[in-house]
Amino acid sequence: MQRPNPEPTPIPSRRDVIAGAAAVAGLITAACASDRSIASLGPLGRGQPHKPIAPHETIRIGVIGTGGMGTGHCEAIAGLAKAGKEKVQIAAVSDVCKPRLEAARKLCAEKQAIAVDGYRSYHDLLSRDDLHGVLIASPEHWHAQMAIDAMQAGKDVYVEKPMTLRMDDALRLRRVAMASDKVLQVGTQFLTHRKYHEARKLIEADEIGQPTMIQTSYCRNSKEGEWLYGIDPEVEPGEMLDWEGWCGPLGPQRWDTEVYHRWRRYRSYSTGIIGDLLVHVMTPLVFALDCGWPVRVLATGAHYADPAMENHDQVNLTVQFERPCTLLVAGSTCNELGLETLIRGHRANLYLGSKDCVLKPERVFAEEIDEKKVECPSLSDQDEHRLDWLACMRTRAKPLGDVDLAARIMVIVDLATRSIWEGRAMTFDPLALRASPA
């Protein structure tokens, strides 16, 4: 089942895109330098235009992938509509698993008191011309293709984290999204916490001096092991499950009920802790720091309490960026004691472990800089993130979890994964958008 990590497909950098005509030259240059030229991906194109939403019109969406996360989104979005927070309606759902599909369709119909359609193929859902957007909560290996297909079909997209499984898919999706007029939000809801926005303001104002070392973590524990979701013995290839459709971009795979129900435990289907957990804590810090692309990643992984899981139950990452800054990240599913979330600067430090942003000067600058606390509101981050996407669908503004930020996170995820499995540091060239061993 093991699938080697492919080399990324070179695409123009953000600088190239902003430069307009220079993007074309950069595109051609990058394509010529690659064994898999981006020309092989077909023309950029904008696909079908997005469906405009009138000021008082109800937003109609479809949900692709109705497992635990997808069904949770269904219930939450129906709740937002009932509470009057947004005029939104889930009109259709899709899943390759018949029981999951029917359960989600029934839930949406009952919660919204409307008829909701169910589709075994997501292409049938995308072919509808009455949907404004889709929420994608499928397994990671499907994220990129489903998001691209949705944008080409004229739909705005909310795609669960991690944005993709591998970096080449992330860069391909970024390329398509930046050439499109669609709104794409990635499900990294910690971005809604105001403390990270206040931290960014303080860093931009040079309140802490040069950022130096940043630390964060996502750690949890269990007795039996992680991602041991329940197995439904009735779900197997055939009437109950389109296994070939589930495998999709990975190509034909041997049927394994453990893989289907617990895919996050397996290397070919997930990056484990890194993609499922660490993206949550890394994304808002990378946003706050605004230090450009990651350029060097060194990571280690180990099996301490769950040797049966192929992915690791303890990982540690060191990430360096274009502009001087180093990020340290710890992830664990075998011990819940994490690191304090902290941005260190030459002059002062930002403490982000609570809902607030607290600035404390370094001792040698204590007479020049006053300690300060920026109080921030408590909020339901997942609901706020969903509402941000829906609001951006109306206004066409850039969402919090935009594709460019998510692509930078995916570079970290992919390089860290390679570093662990290959036992060496990995580097990334922000101009060529290419990874290589250090």
Side-chain angles (χ1 to χ4, degrees):
M1 295 181 186
Q2 181 174 327
R3 174 177 180 255
N5 290 314
E7 284 298 306
T9 301
I11 58 174
S13 69
R14 182 174 62 176
R15 298 186 184 93
D16 293 328
V17 174
I18 294 173
V24 177
L27 184 66
I28 296 171
T29 300
C32 293
S34 173
D35 291 335
R36 293 179 61 215
S37 94
I38 53 179
S40 67
L41 300 176
L44 278 171
R46 294 166 67 90
Q48 298 180 31
H50 74 88
K51 185 178 177 62
I53 305 171
H56 302 292
E57 183 179 1
T58 296
I59 300 174
R60 289 171 60 82
I61 66 171
V63 175
I64 302 174
T66 56
M69 196 70 225
T71 302
H73 278 299
C74 289
E75 191 159 11
I77 290 171
L80 292 174
K82 185 176 182 180
K85 295 186 177 181
E86 179 58 271
K87 294 185 68 175
V88 58
Q89 188 179 85
I90 301 170
V93 293
S94 175
D95 201 292
V96 294
C97 177
K98 184 177 179 180
R100 290 182 177 181
L101 174 64
E102 181 55 27
R105 189 202 62 75
K106 183 178 179 181
L107 180 146
C108 290
E110 292 177 349
K111 292 283 184 181
Q112 301 176 117
I114 62 171
V116 176
D117 295 319
Y119 300 94
R120 296 292 290 274
S121 170
Y122 79 93
H123 293 288
D124 293 333
L125 183 149
L126 293 182
S127 69
R128 293 176 55 142
D129 60 7
D130 64 330
L131 300 180
H132 300 99
V134 296
L135 188 151
I136 299 169
S138 59
E140 298 162 18
H141 63 271
W142 260 116
H143 286 187
Q145 191 60 55
M146 287 179 172
I148 290 171
D149 289 343
M151 287 187 289
Q152 291 296 302
K155 276 67 171 173
D156 293 326
V157 173
Y158 183 115
V159 59
E160 260 303 335
K161 55 78 203 166
M163 185 171 74
T164 60
L165 177 58
R166 306 295 182 206
M167 182 175 67
D168 62 330
D169 288 331
L171 296 178
R172 181 165 63 103
L173 176 53
R174 173 180 178 268
R175 170 180 173 260
V176 173
M178 294 182 74
S180 170
D181 62 348
K182 313 308 185 299
V183 170
L184 187 146
Q185 171 91 296
V186 178
T188 44
Q189 66 268 14
F190 287 13
L191 282 166
T192 63
H193 291 282
R194 292 306 309 172
K195 62 184 178 181
Y196 297 109
H197 298 261
E198 296 299 331
R200 179 167 173 145
K201 292 177 185 177
L202 292 170
I203 294 170
E204 289 177 342
D206 199 31
E207 292 280 343
I208 70 168
Q210 169 64 47
T212 57
M213 187 176 73
I214 297 84
Q215 66 180 50
T216 191
S217 63
Y218 197 130
C219 300
R220 62 193 192 192
N221 202 356
S222 63
K223 292 182 178 179
E224 293 78 20
E226 189 59 61
W227 300 299
L228 289 172
Y229 305 128
I231 292 177
D232 184 347
E234 294 185 2
V235 174
E236 57 182 21
E239 180 186 357
M240 291 297 178
L241 175 67
D242 177 3
W243 174 242
E244 182 178 346
W246 187 88
C247 295
L250 295 180
Q253 304 288 322
R254 179 179 61 84
W255 163 247
D256 188 331
T257 191
E258 284 274 347
V259 167
Y260 172 72
H261 288 94
R262 300 168 173 178
W263 50 269
R264 280 201 174 96
R265 293 173 60 83
Y266 297 93
R267 175 181 174 184
S268 294
Y269 304 90
S270 174
T271 55
I273 291 173
I274 305 171
D276 186 45
L277 305 182
L278 296 188
V279 291
H280 279 308
V281 292
M282 293 191 296
T283 301
L285 285 175
V286 171
F287 163 80
L289 292 163
D290 193 24
C291 285
W293 290 90
V295 294
R296 182 183 173 90
V297 178
L298 177 63
T300 58
H303 294 93
Y304 291 128
D306 190 3
M309 180 168 67
E310 188 176 16
N311 281 322
H312 304 90
D313 57 14
Q314 175 69 49
V315 296
N316 294 278
L317 284 58
T318 301
V319 185
Q320 294 177 305
F321 293 86
E322 281 184 278
R323 292 184 286 282
C325 182
T326 300
L327 172 64
L328 303 181
V329 193
S332 182
T333 56
C334 58
N335 183 281
E336 65 185 7
L337 186 61
L339 305 176
E340 182 172 20
T341 301
L342 172 64
I343 297 177
R344 292 180 173 85
H346 175 58
R347 293 165 51 83
N349 305 306
L350 295 175
Y351 293 82
L352 301 167
S354 69
K355 69 178 181 63
D356 303 319
C357 177
V358 179
L359 182 149
K360 294 183 180 181
E362 281 283 286
R363 180 177 53 82
V364 294
F365 291 100
E367 295 183 2
E368 304 172 32
I369 301 173
D370 293 328
E371 180 175 330
K372 67 174 67 175
K373 179 180 181 180
V374 182
E375 295 188 355
C376 302
S378 300
L379 50 80
S380 173
D381 51 20
Q382 285 202 359
D383 279 346
E384 290 299 319
H385 207 54
R386 297 179 184 108
L387 288 169
D388 178 67
W389 176 56
L390 295 169
C392 290
M393 289 177 68
R394 292 189 183 277
T395 65
R396 314 314 295 172
K398 185 176 78 169
L400 287 173
D402 72 288
V403 69
D404 197 53
L405 174 60
R408 293 165 194 244
I409 297 301
M410 280 310 305
V411 170
I412 298 175
V413 170
D414 197 75
L415 266 61
T417 303
R418 296 195 206 186
S419 179
I420 289 173
W421 290 110
E422 297 177 19
R424 56 186 177 181
M426 298 295 297
T427 63
F428 183 76
D429 183 340
L431 294 179
L433 297 181
R434 182 184 291 277
S436 60

